[in-house]
């Protein structure tokens, strides 16, 4: 099978309540640790091909991510690992939350790493623009440097800023999901 059958949050909740389904969350461990659907199985897309999915055998498997984009992009890859019909929570965890359904939330976990990268990169670009406009044009170099780093991250998949942020004390303390 090459497609995932979409389900609305209430349909997913009904299947979960009956005990005949399991949610497989393909977000990265830092995202999963901060908030996830109760009893969901964490199987990050980055290591999905190596994941042990024996715990989901014999159940309806419902894949989810944050918004549904990752599950949509990887639909064929996800469905190929499931022996039966594969489903997807349409709109992901965000739609689940918007429907007023419960999430297991650990607010003590750090913000997701990519959000930290976005905030830091945006802040540095803004800082470079403000300082370049008000103090010296040399500060435009900050914005150029960060922009180049974002380009390299997009082109190669290697994000130096993310690797540095992983080493920060608040991220090292993150519980493994």
């Amino acid at each position: 099978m090459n497609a995932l059958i979409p389900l609305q949050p209430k349909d997913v909740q009904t299947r979960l309540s009956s005990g005949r389904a399991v949610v497989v969350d393909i977000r990265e461990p830092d995202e999963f640790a901060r908030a996830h659907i109760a009893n969901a199985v964490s199987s990050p897309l980055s290591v999905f091909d190596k994941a042990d999915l024996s715990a989901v055998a014999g159940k309806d498997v419902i894949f989810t991510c944050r918004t549904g984009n990752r599950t949509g992009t990887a639909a064929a890859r996800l469905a190929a690992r499931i022996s039966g019909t594969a489903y997807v929570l349409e709109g992901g965890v965000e739609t689940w939350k918007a429907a007023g359904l419960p999430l297991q939330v650990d607010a003590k976990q750090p913000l997701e790493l990519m959000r930290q990268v976005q905030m830091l990169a945006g802040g540095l670009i803004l800082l470079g623009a403000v300082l370049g406009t008000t103090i010296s044009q040399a500060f435009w170099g900050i914005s150029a440097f960060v922009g180049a780093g974002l380009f390299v991250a997009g082109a190669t998949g290697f994000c130096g800023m993310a690797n540095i942020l992983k080493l920060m004390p608040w991220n090292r303390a993150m519980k493994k999901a």
Side-chain angles (χ1 to χ4, degrees), residues 8 16 22 30 37-38 44 57 61 67 88 96 110 145 149 154 157 166 175:
Q8 293 298 315
L16 291 173
V22 63
D30 60 329
I37 296 170
V61 178
T67 63
V88 62
W96 178 271
F145 180 74
K166 282 181 194 174
K175 282 192 307 192

Side-chain angles (χ1 to χ4, degrees), residues 62-141:
I62 305 164
F63 290 102
T64 193
C65 60
R66 188 174 69 83
T67 63
N69 288 337
R70 279 177 270 191
T71 51
T73 301
R77 183 173 152 205
L78 298 172
R81 295 283 318 272
I82 303 305
S83 59
T85 305
Y87 300 90
V88 62
L89 171 57
E90 195 162 18
V93 173
E94 290 296 320
T95 302
W96 178 271
K97 187 166 107 177
L101 297 170
L103 286 173
Q104 284 191 308
V105 177
D106 185 352
K108 293 180 181 177
Q109 293 295 314
L111 286 175
E112 296 87 354
L113 193 57
M114 281 302 106
R115 285 185 60 195
Q116 292 180 47
V117 168
Q118 291 165 342
M119 292 168 61
L120 182 56
L124 288 171
I125 290 170
L126 182 59
L127 178 67
V130 169
L131 294 176
T133 302
T134 59
I135 296 179
S136 168
Q137 290 181 349
F139 285 108
W140 284 104

Side-chain angles (χ1 to χ4, degrees), residues 41-63:
V41 174
S42 177
S43 187
L45 190 57
S46 60
V47 294
F48 184 76
D49 295 328
K50 300 173 190 165
D52 177 12
L53 296 177
S54 59
V56 303
K59 296 201 178 227
D60 290 346
V61 178
I62 305 164
F63 290 102

